[in-house]
Amino acid sequence: MNFEYTNIIDSKYRPKLFYKKNKSDRRVGVEIEYSNLPLLNSAAVVSSLFGGNIVEVNKYKVILKKTKYGDFTFELDAMFLQKIESKGLFTKLSSVIGTISSDINDLLEKTSKKFIPFEISSPPIPISKLPLLDNMIDKLRLQGALGTTYSFQYAFGVHFNIEPPSDEMGDILKIFKSFLILQKWIEVQSELDIARKMSPFINDFPKEYIRLVVNKEYNPDKERFIEDYLFYNPTRNRVLDMLPMLAHWDEKRVRKQLPDEKINPRPTYHYRLPNSKIDLFRWNLSVEFQLWVIVELLANNEKLFEEMSEKFFKKIEKAIFSKDEWVEECQKCVLELLS
């Protein structure tokens, strides 16, 4: 994105997201995947910024407790390992990392340096304090942390857990619709890494579900929204995972449908698209978050939201959807939003 626009977004528009309708701070939690910096070393770096006490839970998990904002968690993403095992990918990986035994420690030892990310999970912090996590990124980079761009094997990402402006269904739905409208433009702006595109962890929403949601007649209550979402998306693996939000509303209903999924109920949009470019000196979380700011700008612009909703609905109704044409349409919309 043009440098001029990034300055406008950061100075003029991001502050509008700082507060909820009740005037309290809106918060965002961040999950960052990376490699090459052991968990204890990572925890020491973060502790130098936020204080807290380092607790080693086991070889694969460390917690930085009682910082000013809460607990930071550092762990090897064993769920990633289980996912690729279920997809039969270890057979393919064996040609790269050698024969793989069935022992979990051997699997972790052989795969973690090449394929399995370490992950830092921050506590929710006020959106206004996001630059503090940029400082954390800088320090981790200087200690050798590596991200997506370092190797074609590193399908690492960043997840933002963004608190909505209110718990009202209308507010939550409008932002969700805006994301669906702008998703392909966001992917282009994010320069989504090919390894992540091929991974099974950030799948698109089904076209039938997108068509249902962006229809201007779709105005569900929470119960209906949960029912529709679970029917079309019985999985965490979506570019914008709404299951934490749904479980916050009705945990019993969600767990009944998805008893084996690891879902942490909380009022948040679990936004999973950004790459983790932690090893690049000009990259930080605030810049990645600017694309989410655009989503909310569209949601808050009644005229453009209605126009883009109608155009998008007509586009996806066609047998052939031209991504390039729609990205161009979104670019015009974004420039108007920022003008």
Side-chain angles (χ1 to χ4, degrees), residues 58-252:
N58 54 45
K59 185 177 180 181
Y60 308 112
K61 184 173 183 177
V62 173
I63 301 177
L64 179 61
K65 289 183 170 290
K66 297 182 179 180
T67 76
K68 179 178 180 180
Y69 297 104
D71 295 349
F72 287 79
T73 301
F74 308 78
E75 57 189 329
L76 184 66
D77 192 354
M79 285 294 292
F80 187 101
L81 188 71
Q82 295 167 18
K83 294 277 188 182
I84 62 175
E85 182 179 26
S86 70
K87 298 288 182 178
L89 298 182
F90 277 127
T91 301
K92 299 176 183 178
L93 294 182
S94 64
S95 64
V96 180
I97 61 178
T99 303
I100 304 173
S101 81
S102 59
D103 180 74
I104 187 66
N105 287 321
D106 184 41
L107 292 174
L108 291 170
E109 185 69 26
K110 286 188 174 184
T111 57
S112 62
K113 289 185 179 180
K114 287 182 178 287
F115 300 98
I116 313 302
F118 296 119
E119 181 178 88
I120 296 175
S121 298
S122 83
I125 69 170
I127 292 176
S128 61
K129 302 296 184 183
L130 193 58
L132 293 177
L133 296 185
D134 293 336
N135 293 338
M136 180 185 77
I137 291 293
D138 290 340
K139 287 187 175 292
L140 292 168
R141 178 187 300 122
L142 290 172
Q143 292 299 314
L146 299 176
T148 307
T149 55
Y150 186 79
S151 168
F152 75 93
Q153 298 166 345
Y154 289 177
F156 301 164
V158 170
H159 302 174
F160 287 103
N161 294 294
I162 306 155
E163 188 176 24
S166 78
D167 196 41
E168 297 173 14
M169 186 66 233
D171 293 335
I172 290 167
L173 180 65
K174 203 167 187 181
I175 291 173
F176 184 56
K177 286 187 177 189
S178 294
F179 178 84
L180 294 178
I181 291 168
L182 292 172
Q183 180 192 328
K184 295 306 175 186
W185 178 84
I186 292 172
E187 289 177 5
V188 171
Q189 295 296 322
S190 296
E191 299 177 327
L192 194 62
D193 184 81
I194 186 65
R196 296 195 69 223
K197 287 181 180 178
M198 295 175 65
S199 78
F201 307 111
I202 53 168
N203 296 335
D204 276 344
F205 290 100
K207 185 176 180 180
E208 295 81 2
Y209 181 66
I210 295 174
R211 185 184 296 117
L212 170 70
V213 173
V214 299
N215 190 323
K216 65 180 180 180
E217 302 299 327
Y218 188 67
N219 188 29
D221 58 16
K222 290 178 181 178
E223 183 177 350
R224 170 70 187 282
F225 185 79
I226 293 172
E227 181 180 341
D228 291 337
Y229 188 95
L230 292 176
F231 178 80
Y232 287 100
N233 309 284
T235 175
R236 294 170 60 214
N237 300 332
R238 291 289 182 261
V239 292
L240 184 59
D241 174 20
M242 296 294 287
L243 290 176
M245 185 93 73
L246 272 54
H248 170 68
W249 292 340
D250 190 344
E251 185 173 1
K252 183 178 179 180

